[in-house]
Amino acid sequence: MRPHHAFRTWRGAGPAGFAPGLMAGALLASALLAAPAAAQTSDPVLAAVQERAADTRVTRSFSLGDLGIDGPVVLQGMDARRDIYLPVPAGVPIQDASINIDGEYLRGDGGRATMVLSVDGVPVFSRRLEGESGSASTVLPVDGRPRETGFVRFGTAWSSVIGEYLCADERGIGNVLKLSPKSRFTYTYDASQVRDLSTAWSAMPGSGSLLVAGGTLSKDAYDTAWRLGLALESAGKRLIVKTLPAIGDEVDLSGLDVPASLRVVAPFSSFVDVKSYRIRDAAELGALLVLPGSPIGADVAVADGALLSAVRGALDALAARLGNASAAFTEWRGKAASLGSVTVAADEMTLQTLAGRPVIAVGGGAGGKATQLFDGFWRTSLAAGTVTVRAVDSVPEKASSVPLSRLGPAQGNLDVLARGDWVVSFDLAAATGGSSLPSRLNLDVAAAPGASASEPVVAVFLNDVLLAAKRLEANGQPEHLSAAVPTYALAARNVLRVTFQRQPVSDRCRETPQAFPVSVLPTSHFELGGSVPGGDFLGIISAMTTGGRLVVPDTYLSTARSSLPRVVRAAAAAGLPTASSTFDVIATGAPFRATSGGFVALDVPVQGVTQKARVDGDRLVVGTDEKARLLDITGLKNVALVQAVRGDDTRGILWQSIGPVPMTPAKPVRLSRGDVALVGMDGTLTELTASGAPLGTIRVADTDGPSGTLQRLWQNSADWGIPLGIGVAALFFLLLIRASHVRRRGN
């Protein structure tokens, strides 16, 4: 009751009562309570560290070019539509998301031209385009709801109506909409919402960065690194290899924006408005490991002992530098760079953070198993932050078919007025599981009736090779289309395109053209069972789907940043599977002897095979006949020789750098029907056969029956052609001798 009485007395008292004493006590208590807060705010280092510890936002920004769209997206004609899938963290809300569209249009034919942009199938922007040409650029807002699929579907629709009447000719080519590959998608998400490995994998944008330790890597670490890099490339991510810098190394800080609160705090203040910086001590390296947007940040890391020890030491040095703020830094470190506080077993994968964003830390010996888990079959099962991988098989049962739904995230339904494309890309080795090649495509589609009486047409292309086409009844029921898959249409990386076309104007304009829905049904699949026993690139890629050997010189281990992308591009071009392949390191100058199976060897002399070209310094010689060489040239730079070679029981691909500095292609390398290729920065420059025979000879497509037997015999002509020719010549001379002997006896 005393407190209640005192309270009542204070409320009723005047200036001469209890109020002065109580007010003074209240002010004293407030001052005492505010003292710690004042102490906190008076220390700028502590305040800055606490601010960063509370901020767990991650900003991502990438262009269409980063997704592999190298050229402009062009839409023209009466009606054209295109969907582009933009990756986001699956099931995680996003913030401040927008698509900055860089586009332009041409309107040479006049009429009415309209552009409609949509997000996840919902139109959000529409504009009628005027004038002969102009800009179509705009900023498209994207809502922040979670996407369980891990993609934002950005749709573009184009309509061009030239004539004023229904029966007018609409086949003009002057109205065109172009979207530049510089169009950019930007969004922000909370890193604390990424709680499992599957979501972290989906959070990667169009490029995937891989972090390894600095200096010379161990064989196991390099083995894990190239497998992870190949898995990223197979998933459509452009590989970026990063090595942990050491003291004295130069780092590029042109894209680093130091937060305002840290600009007066050492060592962060050293990075303000600096394009390039030389690291002076371990504390500065530790500062780069916690800063958001740091060039050391990565999506995947090979967490061997060397990397973890270096990261931990740098963070400890930074904690000592911060002094009184070291306790608050421990909280920031746990949220922004937890990789420096854990131990990762050799066969373990764990979700950690580095530079303020999620990173998948893979143990030094878990490369092959980890890449199989990130395959589409097992990826969704990684609903945990840490897993230990003891055994995994990419395809639990060696199936005889592969559903098209496993090959990519392409939407199965689309509306078609004049033309619509359903496109999916897939890696040959990953899709088939190393069992065999696709031999037949069974496509099931359904089309709704349209306003026009003309029957729609479906056509199937594999790597721009027409496999089959068919008129559809368009009654809403499933319709089947089957086509043999010719071996010359396959590649290590493939693009399957299903094109639907219809006549938008019926006879004498009796019906109004309307878009109608079509669907690629989930029962569509590839049949497996094909093989290519030939000695060209495609034959070796076929043999490599079951696994092979990757061979590199020991100098590659000390130049991981430059050599790893080269190894990954070569392995991807050869279709080398990540799970069933082995890795060998050869001492510099020592030869590799190929005995059995398939292999891919980079900058290593190979014995036991017949080479069709050779490299001597900067000299390139194509052709083994000294009197009839196809090419003999000196002075080449930034070029590599790639050739298909064969031995008694082995086949492989030999990659040889030309000149003193090895070249790494910036784009994927495509190998197909030749056996010798020149590769440059932009990929394959020239592909030919060492005999000089032209490429592109069409072989029999059917792999079954007598025609399939003829195909296999023709592809094996290198094996039986020379002995057969010698035998025929010997028989001819024996017949001549016999005939001469008979004539002499008759005379």
Side-chain angles (χ1 to χ4, degrees):
M1 297 297 295
R2 285 181 61 86
H4 181 64
H5 177 73
F7 182 70
R8 289 178 59 194
T9 303
W10 175 76
R11 289 189 62 187
F18 287 95
L22 291 175
M23 292 178 64
L27 292 174
L28 179 61
S30 300
L32 292 174
L33 291 174
Q40 290 181 1
T41 55
S42 63
D43 187 348
V45 177
L46 182 59
V49 172
Q50 289 175 336
E51 174 191 313
R52 300 316 308 163
D55 189 359
T56 57
R57 294 174 300 172
V58 177
T59 299
R60 292 283 200 180
S61 181
F62 55 88
S63 66
L64 298 184
D66 295 331
L67 297 178
I69 302 176
D70 297 329
V73 178
V74 179
L75 293 88
Q76 63 184 134
M78 181 178 178
D79 181 273
R81 302 167 190 265
R82 179 70 62 88
D83 284 346
I84 300 175
Y85 290 82
L86 308 175
V88 294
V92 175
I94 58 178
Q95 306 168 7
D96 304 326
S98 64
I99 305 174
N100 193 338
I101 298 170
D102 183 3
E104 60 180 356
Y105 66 90
L106 303 175
R107 190 171 158 270
D109 287 330
R112 301 189 306 274
T114 307
M115 173 183 70
V116 178
L117 305 177
S118 62
V119 175
D120 295 327
V122 179
V124 294
F125 179 84
S126 177
R127 177 185 169 190
R128 181 172 178 174
L129 306 176
E130 306 285 351
E132 292 187 356
S133 63
S135 172
S137 300
T138 185
V139 178
L140 195 67
V142 178
D143 64 276
R145 63 182 178 84
R147 270 77 176 179
E148 299 299 331
T149 60
F151 293 94
V152 171
R153 183 158 61 98
F154 165 53
T156 305
W158 164 262
S159 174
S160 173
V161 180
I162 301 174
E164 298 182 359
Y165 303 100
L166 181 62
C167 295
D169 188 359
E170 299 289 346
R171 292 175 294 180
I173 62 173
N175 293 356
V176 180
L177 175 65
K178 298 183 292 182
L179 300 183
S180 169
K182 296 180 181 179
S183 300
R184 181 167 293 274
F185 178 44
T186 304
Y187 67 94
T188 300
Y189 69 95
D190 188 352
S192 63
Q193 296 293 318
V194 179
R195 300 185 179 94
D196 56 66
L197 294 166
S198 177
T199 305
W201 182 271
S202 68
M204 277 186 274
S207 59
S209 52
L210 175 66
L211 178 66
V212 298
T216 301
L217 298 184
S218 66
K219 179 183 176 181
D220 289 342
Y222 199 99
D223 186 19
T224 297
W226 81 262
R227 296 178 194 271
L228 292 173
L230 184 55
L232 290 171
E233 292 264 332
S234 300
K237 314 294 183 182
R238 183 174 56 89
L239 175 64
I240 300 175
V241 176
K242 301 180 179 181
T243 56
L244 188 68
I247 298 175
D249 288 350
E250 197 89 12
V251 291
D252 182 13
L253 302 181
S254 56
L256 180 63
D257 184 16
V258 180
S261 59
L262 293 176
R263 295 191 169 209
V264 295
V265 178
F268 303 98
S269 57
S270 302
F271 308 144
V272 178
D273 298 331
V274 174
K275 301 300 182 182
S276 181
Y277 187 79
R278 186 178 300 277
I279 298 177
R280 295 177 295 183
D281 53 42
E284 291 184 342
L285 177 59
L288 292 176
L289 292 174
V290 293
L291 273 178
S294 168
I296 306 178
D299 301 301
V300 184
V302 180
D304 62 341
L307 179 68
L308 295 179
S309 177
V311 172
R312 185 180 302 111
L315 293 174
D316 290 343
L318 177 60
R321 175 78 65 87
L322 294 177
N324 294 333
S326 58
F329 175 71
T330 301
E331 180 185 359
W332 183 21
R333 172 178 177 171
K335 294 180 179 180
S338 62
L339 184 64
S341 305
V342 298
T343 300
V344 182
D347 58 351
E348 186 179 54
M349 289 193 305
T350 178
L351 177 60
Q352 301 297 329
T353 56
L354 189 68
R357 73 189 201 191
V359 60
I360 300 173
V362 181
K369 300 173 184 177
T371 54
Q372 284 183 285
L373 279 177
F374 286 125
D375 179 66
F377 186 85
W378 291 115
R379 188 184 309 158
T380 54
S381 64
L382 294 175
T386 301
V387 295
T388 300
V389 190
R390 296 183 178 88
V392 61
D393 191 349
S394 58
V395 182
E397 295 182 3
K398 298 301 181 182
S400 59
S401 63
V402 177
L404 298 189
S405 58
R406 280 189 52 192
L407 302 182
Q411 184 76 14
N413 303 318
L414 62 156
D415 294 334
V416 175
L417 176 61
R419 169 175 172 163
D421 291 337
W422 182 90
V423 181
V424 64
S425 301
F426 63 96
D427 181 82
L428 186 63
T432 61
S435 54
S436 58
L437 293 181
S439 60
R440 180 169 292 275
L441 173 64
N442 292 304
L443 185 69
D444 294 324
V445 300
S452 172
S454 301
E455 295 177 339
V457 176
V458 58
V460 185
F461 297 84
L462 181 61
N463 298 325
D464 291 330
V465 175
L466 178 63
L467 300 184
K470 177 183 178 180
R471 290 183 179 272
L472 300 177
E473 296 181 8
N475 56 6
Q477 299 299 316
E479 300 184 55
H480 184 72
L481 179 63
S482 181
V485 178
T487 55
Y488 58 79
L490 292 170
R493 184 72 180 171
N494 302 269
V495 177
L496 177 67
R497 173 164 55 92
V498 181
T499 298
F500 297 92
Q501 288 181 295
R502 64 160 287 185
Q503 181 61 256
V505 179
S506 63
D507 183 31
R508 298 181 182 179
C509 301
R510 291 173 181 168
E511 294 115 354
T512 301
Q514 299 289 338
F516 71 100
V518 297
S519 177
V520 177
L521 302 180
T523 53
S524 303
H525 63 276
F526 276 114
E527 291 182 11
L528 302 181
S531 63
V532 185
D536 58 1
F537 288 129
L538 187 57
I540 294 177
I541 291 173
S542 169
M544 212 75 74
T545 56
T546 58
R549 301 175 67 181
L550 177 64
V551 187
V552 301
D554 56 3
T555 55
Y556 274 32
L557 303 184
S558 59
T559 58
R561 185 173 182 178
S562 59
S563 65
L564 270 174
R566 188 181 317 123
V567 170
V568 169
R569 299 272 153 74
L576 198 66
T578 59
S580 55
S581 300
T582 58
F583 178 65
D584 292 328
V585 178
I586 304 298
T588 302
F592 165 70
R593 177 136 191 109
T595 55
S596 61
F599 67 90
V600 177
L602 289 90
D603 295 328
V604 171
V606 179
Q607 296 179 349
V609 296
T610 301
Q611 299 186 25
K612 302 157 188 175
R614 59 184 175 88
V615 173
D616 184 8
D618 62 348
R619 181 186 179 189
L620 170 65
V621 179
V622 180
T624 56
D625 190 349
E626 295 292 334
K627 298 181 180 179
R629 294 173 177 169
L630 295 178
L631 181 66
D632 189 345
I633 188 171
T634 304
L636 294 177
K637 296 180 180 179
N638 294 325
V639 176
L641 169 68
V642 182
Q643 59 178 312
V645 295
R646 302 188 67 174
D648 294 335
D649 296 318
T650 184
R651 290 185 290 177
I653 292 179
L654 181 58
W655 181 296
Q656 296 170 284
S657 300
I658 301 176
V661 180
M663 182 276 309
T664 299
K667 296 181 179 180
V669 177
R670 309 297 185 194
L671 302 174
S672 57
R673 283 159 282 169
D675 54 19
V676 174
L678 291 181
V679 176
M681 295 294 295
D682 293 330
T684 304
L685 302 178
T686 303
E687 192 175 15
L688 69 155
T689 60
S691 61
L695 298 177
T697 303
I698 301 300
R699 290 173 277 189
V700 181
D702 191 3
T703 58
D704 301 323
S707 60
T709 302
L710 291 175
Q711 176 188 4
R712 288 188 292 272
L713 287 174
W714 175 250
Q715 292 165 350
N716 262 334
S717 59
D719 296 332
W720 53 262
I722 295 178
L724 179 61
I726 295 175
V728 170
L731 180 61
F732 178 73
F733 283 115
L734 288 175
L735 290 176
L736 287 179
I737 295 173
R738 176 63 177 171
S740 176
H741 179 68
V742 169
R743 278 198 306 271
R744 286 198 301 269
R745 291 185 61 183
N747 293 334

